[in-house]
């Protein structure tokens, strides 16, 4: 199981161009970049989570672990 060589990468790029067309490729990658950026922003959310708060075992509304 080796890595991808130059020929394999060229064939993959050619297949992508044939499937999506040269004009739609920038839109495709732009959408992927926005999705990755939104995922990173959501994962860096500064809201405290339940696990970060001390819990009172006598509180009936305390989250169960």
């Amino acid at each position: 199981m080796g890595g991808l060589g130059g020929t394999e990468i060229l064939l993959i790029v050619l297949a992508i161009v044939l499937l999506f067309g040269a004009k739609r490729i920038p839109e495709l990658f732009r959408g992927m970049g926005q999705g990755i950026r939104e995922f990173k922003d959501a994962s860096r959310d500064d809201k405290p989570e339940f696990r970060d708060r001390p819990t009172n075992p006598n509180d009936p509304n305390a989250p169960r672990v």
Side-chain angles (χ1 to χ4, degrees):
M1 295 239 169
L4 293 177
T7 307
E8 289 88 359
I9 293 174
L10 183 63
L11 288 174
I12 292 170
V13 169
L14 182 63
I16 290 172
V17 169
L18 288 175
L19 286 174
F20 295 105
K23 293 181 181 179
R24 295 212 37 212
I25 291 175
E27 295 174 15
L28 178 70
F29 284 109
R30 188 176 305 118
M32 287 179 12
Q34 287 175 349
I36 291 170
R37 191 176 316 117
E38 289 176 9
F39 179 78
K40 285 182 179 180
D41 289 343
S43 66
R44 281 189 254 154
D45 197 6
D46 291 336
K47 296 177 186 176
E49 296 291 327
F50 288 119
R51 67 176 190 270
D52 296 336
R53 291 188 303 176
T55 59
N56 180 358
N58 297 326
D59 184 9
N61 295 324
R64 307 264 182 218
V65 180

